[in-house]
Amino acid sequence: MRDILSLLPLEKFEICKKTGEIFARHSERVWLVGGAVRDLWFGKAKEMDLDFVTTACSADIRKIMRRPASAIFDKSVSKGYGTQGIILKNGAEIEITPLRKVQDLKLPADADPFTAPLIADLMSRDFSINAVAIDVTPDGFGAVADPSGGIADVHNRILRTPGPPHAILTDDPVRAIRAVRFAALFSLDIEPRTRGAIIHFATTSPNLIRAVSGERTRLELFKILAAPSPSRAVRLMDDLVILPLILPELAALKGVEPEPGYRHKDLFEHTLGALDRASELRRPAPQPAFMLAVLLHDAGKPAARRMADGRCTFTGHEKAGSEIAEAAARRLRLSLDEIRRVAALVRKHHRLHQYTPEWSDAAVRRALHDLGELYDDAIVFSMADATGQDPERRRRREEHLADFARRVESLDKERVLKPKPPIDGNAIMEILGIKPGPSGGGVVVGKAVKHLTDMVVSGELDADDEAAARRIVANREWEREGDAKNPSGAYN
């Protein structure tokens, strides 16, 4: 067991050894702990971060590490427990936290008084697989502390709390969501007592889970969506009664049928199928905002659902879904760019569904322009959204999308995505005799610019053909009845 640190990459092994020596010189002990140790046993040493706990307090950690570090950051607000972020002079980053002072915690009967503070810290952690520590101080280097049997749980693929589940969950309600993340990421079974406690906690104290900050919920959710089979984690959230507390928009899709008597999937099941397909297409690193958009792409359908002549329609669900997805993204505290992207992806996720090779070149150009920077995501989105049982339908969708992509590659994408009319607003005002000032001419100029831009996008006007642009403006072609390009909004 003492040889476990030899599994570390050499650079990380040296950091552990050096950190232990530095703290020993100040008569303090230090242990590698938590996820870092867990990942060693799960064979993920290359990916792991180095987190330590120590007998030193926060102020002393800063003093001890002042010389070995190039920068020290107090992470107490975001991490709690006085955590200090350390950037070493070789550029590596580690975190060091004082041992937690845990009150009224029963320790194992055979607990060593010398290590009692460490054992108390470990027993207060979220799950047994994260409650293992390895001494890196020279006189105890490699000694393992595992008071709750976390190593056995790793081997047996079990997730459970090291102490009484209800107390562990009450101490930090985000642990209910984190249980889903670990179960999905490491293919663990949540042991019955812990599972029952999570369900009871979510049922009797839902507001405690709802009150978890958007930032912390987002962190857990994004890691869940990065799992190889994210649908498993979402189903587990639903089974544990957590899903309606953090994503009520998704939970609302359960039981909603795309068509009366539809025998295959309700919208919830369809969404999970799309989620797994999107994850598969975007391996190894699906973008979290993209995956959230897939998760919420049909969120507007329950409100938009209408029956007409025995058929179900969802007219306008993209717009409604976009607004719902934007509100969810704001609640989860995504960045402004991510919020806009999620909302736009949901609003435009249907754009390429109806594409066929019969579309005109102008229609292809207009579709590409409308999608803009979302184009690559829209292709994957459309493939992922074809989750029906009919393999022929899926194959046809993929062939059509591949054809669309080939046609896009033949275009001058820069001119389509960032079209510039041959003449500007000043020239248009000159041609139409509009004088500067608040005379209402700005509306006409705006319509003229848009008309010219649309013609450049569709390929009907060359971006360098100033003479043609002047003629179009002089004839006020945008005002001709029936001349509007594609008034229905369709692409073909």
Side-chain angles (χ1 to χ4, degrees):
M1 191 74 76
R2 284 177 176 266
D3 295 332
I4 185 66
L5 289 175
S6 64
L7 298 178
L8 284 168
L10 180 59
E11 180 189 5
K12 293 181 178 180
F13 178 88
E14 290 298 331
I15 290 173
C16 288
K17 186 169 179 289
K18 187 70 174 176
T19 300
E21 292 169 353
I22 291 169
F23 276 79
R25 287 200 292 270
H26 293 81
S27 301
E28 303 285 3
R29 301 198 75 82
V30 64
W31 295 266
L32 186 68
V33 73
V37 178
R38 175 200 68 220
D39 289 349
L40 270 178
W41 266 279
F42 276 117
K44 297 180 180 291
K46 290 182 179 179
E47 307 163 21
M48 61 185 259
D49 298 322
L50 294 180
D51 299 330
F52 300 91
V53 291
T54 178
T55 52
C57 66
S58 294
D60 286 343
I61 292 172
R62 290 192 292 273
K63 290 178 183 177
I64 291 169
M65 295 301 294
R66 185 171 60 239
R67 287 187 177 179
S70 61
I72 300 177
F73 303 95
D74 189 342
K75 292 189 172 183
S76 299
V77 174
S78 60
K79 294 277 188 172
Y81 308 111
T83 298
Q84 303 299 303
I86 314 292
I87 299 180
L88 301 174
K89 289 183 176 175
N90 66 357
E93 296 185 32
I94 64 175
E95 289 184 359
I96 306 179
T97 305
L99 286 171
R100 309 176 193 188
K101 292 179 172 58
V102 184
Q103 304 296 326
D104 303 322
L105 182 69
K106 286 188 176 181
L107 298 180
D110 58 349
D112 182 350
F114 180 69
T115 58
L118 171 66
I119 302 304
D121 177 293
L122 296 176
M123 291 296 291
S124 71
R125 289 177 177 256
D126 52 6
F127 304 105
S128 63
I129 61 171
N130 297 327
V132 183
I134 304 175
D135 200 339
V136 296
T137 317
D139 63 356
F141 194 80
V144 176
D146 181 16
S148 60
I151 297 172
D153 287 345
V154 168
H155 293 310
N156 294 323
R157 299 281 168 174
I158 292 173
L159 188 74
R160 63 184 178 86
T161 59
H166 185 76
I168 296 292
L169 294 169
T170 304
D171 183 49
D172 188 356
V174 80
R175 290 168 170 172
I177 310 171
R178 194 173 292 154
V180 175
R181 193 237 298 180
F182 288 131
L185 188 62
F186 297 112
S187 299
L188 307 177
D189 291 323
I190 302 177
E191 64 94 22
R193 184 165 171 248
T194 300
R195 186 186 186 93
I198 293 172
I199 294 172
H200 181 75
F201 184 70
T203 304
T204 60
S205 305
N207 288 335
L208 291 181
I209 295 178
R210 290 193 187 102
V212 173
S213 70
E215 291 88 349
R216 299 187 75 202
T217 301
R218 179 194 69 232
L219 179 65
E220 298 299 330
L221 181 61
F222 277 10
K223 289 181 178 180
I224 285 170
L225 294 179
S229 181
S231 69
R232 178 176 180 265
V234 175
R235 289 185 197 283
L236 184 56
M237 277 196 285
D238 188 45
D239 292 343
L240 297 176
V241 202
I242 296 171
L243 186 64
L245 304 181
I246 64 172
L247 279 177
E249 304 86 354
L250 179 60
L253 300 183
K254 293 184 68 178
V256 181
E257 295 180 334
E259 296 285 355
Y262 195 68
R263 295 180 181 178
H264 179 35
K265 297 176 181 176
D266 64 12
L267 292 180
F268 180 73
E269 290 298 324
H270 161 74
T271 297
L272 296 192
L275 189 69
D276 279 348
R277 180 63 174 144
S279 176
E280 177 187 338
L281 291 168
R282 276 295 169 87
R283 287 281 124 202
Q287 290 290 324
F290 172 75
M291 297 297 287
L292 181 63
V294 173
L295 199 63
L296 298 176
H297 76 278
D298 277 344
K301 280 191 172 180
R305 193 172 188 265
R306 299 289 185 272
M307 293 299 299
D309 299 325
R311 291 189 61 80
C312 188
T313 65
F314 298 100
T315 303
H317 85 273
E318 297 96 337
K319 182 176 184 298
S322 177
E323 293 170 355
I324 291 170
E326 179 177 343
R330 290 187 184 280
R331 186 177 70 243
L332 293 169
R333 295 292 191 269
L334 272 68
S335 69
L336 288 177
D337 284 345
E338 287 175 321
I339 291 170
R340 294 189 190 103
R341 191 171 190 87
V342 168
L345 279 169
V346 173
R347 187 171 63 253
K348 298 184 179 185
H349 77 273
H350 264 192
R351 285 295 195 255
L352 299 180
H353 282 18
Q354 303 306 317
Y355 171 77
T356 69
E358 286 72 41
W359 275 25
S360 66
D361 288 343
V364 171
R365 294 167 69 95
R366 285 195 293 269
L368 175 60
H369 174 71
D370 186 52
L371 290 169
E373 65 175 359
L374 302 177
Y375 164 65
D376 289 334
D377 282 345
I379 290 282
V380 176
F381 216 134
S382 197
M383 287 185 180
D385 205 17
T387 64
Q389 285 183 323
D390 183 357
E392 176 61 24
R393 184 179 178 183
R394 292 199 303 272
R395 184 192 62 78
R396 192 164 56 248
R397 169 80 63 84
E398 291 184 3
E399 285 183 353
H400 285 175
L401 290 169
D403 183 72
F404 183 88
R406 283 193 296 269
R407 293 176 70 177
V408 164
E409 287 304 313
S410 69
L411 299 174
D412 181 347
K413 285 197 280 188
E414 185 69 16
R415 286 201 173 193
V416 175
L417 295 174
K418 299 178 181 178
K420 186 176 180 181
I423 57 177
D424 61 15
N426 290 328
I428 292 171
M429 291 174 68
E430 177 191 338
I431 295 167
L432 297 177
I434 297 174
K435 295 181 179 179
S439 60
V443 174
V444 176
V445 173
K447 289 181 178 179
V449 170
K450 183 179 184 306
H451 186 73
L452 294 176
T453 302
D454 289 345
M455 291 188 73
V456 171
V457 168
S458 66
E460 299 166 277
L461 174 65
D462 190 282
D464 299 319
D465 195 342
E466 182 177 339
R470 285 181 170 275
R471 184 172 62 254
I472 291 166
V473 172
N475 292 334
R476 303 175 78 96
E477 289 188 10
W478 62 91
E479 293 181 349
R480 294 183 182 180
E481 186 176 357
D483 186 55
K485 304 296 179 186
N486 208 19
S488 68
Y491 283 131
N492 53 337

